[in-house]
């Protein structure tokens, strides 16, 4: 059955500078390409979508990097193809220093009702290592100004930054909570192959945070944030009641979604398509009138099942057997019964007969659990 997706992701691939740890699809220091990007997007977007969106998410790169007038054009373009209203969750990922009054006004007028701020840390030492362009002292003013315009502000924070101490991490969490953000995403720093951090690690210029310290940092977030009213609902996500990210729930539930822009990946009718990652390659293809799709994959029931399990287990609510079978056409136990039983026995999963979810220990070892189930 064809279901028209009601969730849309738009990738905005611009940043001032590529942070050393980042392997996202983006092009840094090429603001001159924004007009070509907008023209390319105008070609890629469907003429008219026709239904009110449930969620719209602009990610990057840094969606707030283009100039305010360009940002306004981007939203004008999106408005001409999609419909959204007050019930739609409209999220924009933002770099703190970009959020001046003009950009905030553009976002507010466009109906953006959720900001996801790339804060990463509230201590200058970590911010310098992460190569972020803001300082800890900038943050309170920016967050309060943003909340005054768009009250629903989420912040991303990174733990396991080289040299970061447990008290520094605790202080970052405390500052975010003190500022009344609605949502926190906490990520352990990873060293991705091909990044500047990877190279510096190989040359011995950076060192990984010891595993037990990293574990202590994550454990602190999982224990302390719920006590402050931020319930953990996913491996990396904590929210005050009513503020869970609806767009991410679409991914974790295996629901269909559309996606546009360089490197964007969509999932519709059991088919996954991913656009070419190179920003210049995407621009060329759009300008030549070619398809931006670089990879296509139709998932059969088993592949859909594995994928749903992989993303579904990220949620603290886990995967429900009945829902799993409805969505994939395959019973959970037929797909991975013995592996599930083994992981339950190892204390990494809990299984109440209806639903399977990660234990606290399982959340520390989520990647290992996922690989056991693949
Ligand atoms: S601002 Fe974000 S997307 Fe841009 S380079 Fe840094 S980490 Fe990557």
């Amino acid at each position: 059955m064809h279901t028209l997706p009601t969730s849309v992701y738009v990738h905005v691939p611009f940043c001032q500078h590529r942070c050393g740890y980042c392997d996202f699809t983006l092009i840094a220091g090429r603001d001159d390409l924004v007009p070509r990007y907008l023209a390319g997007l105008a070609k890629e977007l469907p003429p008219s979508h026709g239904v009110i969106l449930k969620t719209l998410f602009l990610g990057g790169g840094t969606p707030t990097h283009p100039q305010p007038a360009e940002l306004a054009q981007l939203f004008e373009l999106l408005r001409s193809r999609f419909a959204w209203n007050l019930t739609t969750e409209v999220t924009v990922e933002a770099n703190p220093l970009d959020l001046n009054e003009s950009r905030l006004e553009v976002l507010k007028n466009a109906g953006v009702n959720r900001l996801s701020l790339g804060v990463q840390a509230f201590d200058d030492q970590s911010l310098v290592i992460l190569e972020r362009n803001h300082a800890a002292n900038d943050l309170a003013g920016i967050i309060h100004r943003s909340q005054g315009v768009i009250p629903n502000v989420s912040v991303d924070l990174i733990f396991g930054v080289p040299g970061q101490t447990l008290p520094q991490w605790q202080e970052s969490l405390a500052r975010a909570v003190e500022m009344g953000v609605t949502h926190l995403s906490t990520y352990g720093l990873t060293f991705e192959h091909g990044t500047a951090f990877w190279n510096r690690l190989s040359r011995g210029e950076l060192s990984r945070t010891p595993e037990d310290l990293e574990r202590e940092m994550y454990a602190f977030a999982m224990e302390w944030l719920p006590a402050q009213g931020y319930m953990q609902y996913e491996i990396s996500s904590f929210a005050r009641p009513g503020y869970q990210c609806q767009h991410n729930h679409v991914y974790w539930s295996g629901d269909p979604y559309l996606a546009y822009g360089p490197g964007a990946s969509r999932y519709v009718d059991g088919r996954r398509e991913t656009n070419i990652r190179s920003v210049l390659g995407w621009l060329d293809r759009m300008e030549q009138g070619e398809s931006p799709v670089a990879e296509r994959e139709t998932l059969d029931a088993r592949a859909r099942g594995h994928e749903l399990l992989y993303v579904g287990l990220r949620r603290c609510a886990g995967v429900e057997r009945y829902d799993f079978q409805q969505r994939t056409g395959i019973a959970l136990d037929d797909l991975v019964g013995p592996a599930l039983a083994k992981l339950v026995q190892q204390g990494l999963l809990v299984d109440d007969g209806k639903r399977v979810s990660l234990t606290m220990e399982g959340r520390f070892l989520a990647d290992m659990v996922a690989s056991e189930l693949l």
Side-chain angles (χ1 to χ4, degrees):
M1 187 183 68
H2 179 74
T3 335
L4 197 59
T6 51
S7 287
V8 170
Y9 173 80
V10 178
H11 193 78
V12 187
F14 299 99
C15 285
Q16 187 182 31
H17 150 88
R18 184 181 281 275
C19 306
Y21 60 94
C22 180
D23 74 339
F24 294 160
T25 297
L26 62 95
I27 191 157
R30 289 297 310 269
D31 302 1
D32 58 300
L33 294 177
V34 175
R36 281 178 65 193
Y37 163 77
L38 291 171
L41 204 57
K43 288 191 177 174
E44 192 189 5
L45 295 177
S48 169
H49 183 60
V51 289
I52 303 285
L53 296 183
K54 234 171 66 185
T55 67
L56 171 62
F57 194 108
L58 272 66
T62 311
T64 51
H65 183 69
Q67 291 303 314
E70 295 167 331
L71 204 53
Q73 273 176 46
L74 170 60
F75 276 105
E76 229 169 85
L77 172 62
L78 293 173
R79 270 278 181 215
S80 69
R81 311 299 174 88
F82 297 107
W84 64 89
N85 63 21
L86 291 176
T87 67
T88 310
E89 179 191 83
V90 185
T91 303
V92 169
E93 288 182 343
N95 190 40
L97 285 189
D98 292 336
L99 291 179
N100 56 25
E101 279 173 17
S102 335
R103 284 199 183 82
L104 282 168
E105 200 185 304
V106 169
L107 298 176
K108 170 92 183 160
N109 291 341
V112 174
N113 50 27
R114 185 169 184 274
L115 287 174
S116 174
L117 276 185
V119 165
Q120 316 311 358
F122 281 90
D123 71 277
D124 284 328
Q125 183 193 311
S126 300
L127 288 170
V128 167
I129 293 198
L130 293 170
E131 302 174 11
R132 304 299 303 204
N133 64 354
H134 53 270
N137 266 343
D138 299 328
L139 292 167
I142 293 170
I143 292 175
H144 287 141
R145 182 168 66 217
S146 305
Q147 287 168 323
V149 182
I150 297 170
N152 186 0
V153 171
S154 168
V155 298
D156 287 358
L157 295 175
I158 296 182
F159 59 92
V161 179
Q164 185 186 38
T165 63
L166 182 61
Q168 281 171 334
W169 170 241
Q170 291 169 329
E171 172 70 13
S172 278
L173 292 173
R175 294 282 306 281
V177 166
E178 196 182 285
M179 284 172 206
V181 300
T182 53
H183 184 282
L184 279 132
S185 298
T186 63
Y187 301 102
L189 182 70
T190 53
F191 291 81
E192 303 296 338
H193 196 81
T195 59
F197 267 32
W198 174 270
N199 297 333
R200 289 176 64 192
L201 185 71
S202 323
R203 291 197 299 266
E205 293 168 15
L206 280 180
S207 45
R208 287 183 197 273
T209 298
E211 218 173 282
D212 52 346
L213 174 56
E214 206 168 323
R215 191 182 161 107
E216 233 182 311
M217 288 172 163
Y218 184 41
F220 179 81
M222 288 199 288
E223 276 160 29
W224 189 75
L225 287 173
Q228 314 309 312
Y230 294 81
M231 294 315 292
Q232 183 173 15
Y233 67 102
E234 188 260 349
I235 288 183
S236 310
S237 311
F238 301 81
R240 286 186 5 208
Y243 289 100
Q244 295 186 9
C245 177
Q246 298 309 312
H247 188 80
N248 283 343
H249 271 302
V250 169
Y251 298 149
W252 302 323
S253 311
D255 286 339
Y257 53 91
L258 297 166
Y260 304 95
S265 194
R266 62 196 67 83
Y267 181 62
V268 183
D269 292 334
R271 202 156 84 125
R272 171 164 322 289
E273 286 182 353
T274 305
N275 283 356
I276 180 169
R277 277 199 71 175
S278 152
V279 176
L280 293 173
W282 178 87
L283 286 172
D284 276 350
R285 288 199 188 189
M286 298 325 300
E287 286 163 2
Q288 301 304 319
E290 292 169 10
S291 162
V293 177
E295 287 165 38
R296 281 192 179 84
E297 188 189 8
T298 301
L299 303 179
D300 62 16
R302 292 186 76 81
R304 269 207 312 277
H306 281 296
E307 190 167 296
L308 187 56
L309 198 52
Y310 179 75
V311 290
L313 278 178
R314 292 191 61 88
R315 294 193 293 196
C316 298
V319 171
E320 212 221 339
R321 280 191 165 78
Y322 177 75
D323 178 66
F324 184 88
Q325 183 149 9
Q326 290 296 108
R327 285 173 183 271
T328 63
I330 191 164
L332 184 60
D333 298 292
D334 289 344
L335 188 69
V336 288
L340 279 185
K342 187 174 143 206
L343 290 161
V344 169
Q345 212 182 18
Q346 291 171 338
L348 299 174
L349 287 180
V350 58
D351 182 354
D352 68 2
K354 275 191 175 164
R355 178 184 290 282
V356 179
S357 54
L358 291 170
T359 59
M360 186 73 104
E361 184 61 23
R363 289 181 206 161
F364 288 114
L365 301 172
D367 289 343
M368 195 202 94
V369 172
S371 63
E372 290 282 325
L373 293 171
L374 282 181

